[in-house]
């Protein structure tokens, strides 16, 4: 084969042609990226608009929470505080100035008696809200949804009875026969047309217009009204729960055991 038959190599492009080709390729890349970015921006806007149409869960109004109505015995609280003050005064004096086993006996007695005094005087309370009734007795706490209550009964004691027939006494709402007789006498005067006057805690005097009830009976009437209004509500359904108050029972038992051991040691 002769040299004339061989194909000659193609001439390389000049520098101006290379620069024009590079410029065209860069412009095509930029146009592609701008199209992609505009498409992504439009998708983000469309997704944002669709999300803005849907209402968020946090925007929905939540059910307001109300504080519990607390019912306590003022006389029991005053008596318990006085007993605690006397026991503390005598016990601390015996611990500081006593000799031999006297300080230990005083300490054991305080450890046993103080929780019991708190349990039977200061601790009892009844808390009621729209969903349930919580009864805090000396040694246990009972939670009763309104739907699980069968009745509220007043006799010589105030009790709540659940659907299974179990009775729970309301320690913080004691029955006063004296207050009940006094209320009956005042009600008899109202029925006879002799409206008695009533003086409240601020010293203002007003006339009795409605039915006269003893304080404990009035509390039970309020609880019955709340029970009748909320017994069928969906939030008031459930099973009763009982929890023992070991924070009261444990120190009282420990103090009693320590007191027995000290008395047994000669």
């Amino acid at each position: 084969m002769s040299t004339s038959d061989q194909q000659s190599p193609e001439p390389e492009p000049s520098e101006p042609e290379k620069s024009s080709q590079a410029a065209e390729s860069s412009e095509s890349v930029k146009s592609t990226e701008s199209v992609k970015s505009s498409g992504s921006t439009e998708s983000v806007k469309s997704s944002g608009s669709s999300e803005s149409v849907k209402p968020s869960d946090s925007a929905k109004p939540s059910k307001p929470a109300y504080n519990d109505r607390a019912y306590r015995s003022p006389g029991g609280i005053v008596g318990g505080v006085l007993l605690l003050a006397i026991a503390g005064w005598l016990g601390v004096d015996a611990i500081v100035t006593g000799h031999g086993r006297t300080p230990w006996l005083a300490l054991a007695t305080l450890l046993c008696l103080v929780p019991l005094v708190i349990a039977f005087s200061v601790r009892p309370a009844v808390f009621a809200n729209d969903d349930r009734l919580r009864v805090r007795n000396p040694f246990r706490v009972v939670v009763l949804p309104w739907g699980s209550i069968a009745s509220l009964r007043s006799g010589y004691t105030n009790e709540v009875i659940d659907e299974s027939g179990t009775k729970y006494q309301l320690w913080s709402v004691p029955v006063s026969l004296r207050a009940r007789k006094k209320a009956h006498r005042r009600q008899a005067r109202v029925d006879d047309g002799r409206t008695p006057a009533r003086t409240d805690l601020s010293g203002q005097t007003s006339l009795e217009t409605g039915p006269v009830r003893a304080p404990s009976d009035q509390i039970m009437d309020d609880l019955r009204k709340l029970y009748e209004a909320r017994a069928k509500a969906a939030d008031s359904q459930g099973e009763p729960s009982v929890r023992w108050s070991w924070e009261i029972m444990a120190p009282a038992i420990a103090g009693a055991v320590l007191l027995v051991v000290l008395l047994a040691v000669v």
Side-chain angles (χ1 to χ4, degrees):
M1 181 180 295
S2 63
T3 58
S4 61
D5 294 334
Q6 295 179 354
Q7 295 180 355
S8 61
E10 296 179 0
E12 295 182 357
S14 61
E15 292 298 330
E17 291 178 354
K18 288 183 180 180
S19 60
S20 63
Q21 290 177 0
E24 290 176 359
S25 63
S26 62
E27 288 177 358
S28 63
V29 169
K30 288 181 180 179
S31 62
T32 305
E33 291 179 352
S34 63
V35 170
K36 289 182 179 179
S37 62
S38 62
S40 61
T41 305
E42 289 177 357
S43 63
V44 169
K45 288 182 179 180
S46 62
S47 63
S49 61
S50 62
E51 289 178 357
S52 63
V53 172
K54 296 180 181 180
S56 60
D57 294 335
S58 60
K60 296 179 180 179
S62 58
K63 183 179 178 181
Y66 298 97
N67 295 328
D68 292 349
R69 307 175 191 177
Y71 301 95
R72 301 174 183 269
S73 174
I77 294 176
V78 172
V81 171
L82 290 177
L83 287 176
L84 289 175
I86 295 173
W89 174 41
L90 296 177
V92 172
D93 182 69
I95 292 172
V96 174
T97 62
H99 301 283
R101 295 187 306 169
T102 302
W104 290 102
L105 290 172
L107 181 61
T109 302
L110 287 177
L111 188 60
C112 181
L113 289 183
V114 169
L116 295 178
V117 172
I118 294 175
F120 286 96
S121 60
V122 181
R123 177 180 171 80
V126 172
F127 303 95
N129 61 16
D130 290 342
D131 297 335
R132 51 105 179 104
L133 179 71
R134 182 161 63 95
V135 182
R136 193 171 68 188
N137 281 340
F139 298 118
R140 61 181 180 176
V141 178
V142 183
V143 178
L144 297 159
W146 291 116
S148 65
I149 296 176
S151 64
L152 293 160
R153 186 171 63 184
S154 297
Y156 291 105
T157 59
N158 292 316
E159 299 172 340
V160 56
I161 305 173
D162 62 9
E163 292 182 344
S164 63
T166 306
K167 301 177 183 178
Y168 304 99
Q169 185 175 350
L170 305 182
W171 280 78
S172 65
V173 191
V175 173
S176 174
L177 297 180
R178 180 174 178 273
R180 190 173 286 177
K181 291 179 180 178
K182 183 178 179 180
H184 289 168
R185 290 196 299 267
R186 296 175 71 90
Q187 184 62 44
R189 295 177 184 175
V190 173
D191 295 339
D192 294 340
R194 297 175 297 166
T195 305
R198 177 180 58 186
T199 304
D200 56 14
L201 297 178
S202 62
Q204 297 181 354
T205 302
S206 60
L207 298 178
E208 298 280 3
T209 56
V212 182
R213 303 282 285 169
S216 61
D217 294 336
Q218 183 61 49
I219 292 174
M220 294 301 292
D221 291 343
D222 295 340
L223 294 177
R224 287 190 189 96
K225 292 179 181 178
L226 191 56
Y227 159 67
E228 292 172 358
R230 299 292 301 172
K232 302 298 182 181
D235 296 335
S236 303
Q237 307 304 315
E239 296 295 330
S241 63
V242 180
R243 180 183 67 84
W244 291 97
S245 302
W246 291 105
E247 66 274 12
I248 295 292
M249 299 170 61
I253 294 173
V257 171
L258 181 60
L259 186 60
V260 170
V261 171
L262 290 174
L263 292 175
V265 176
V266 179

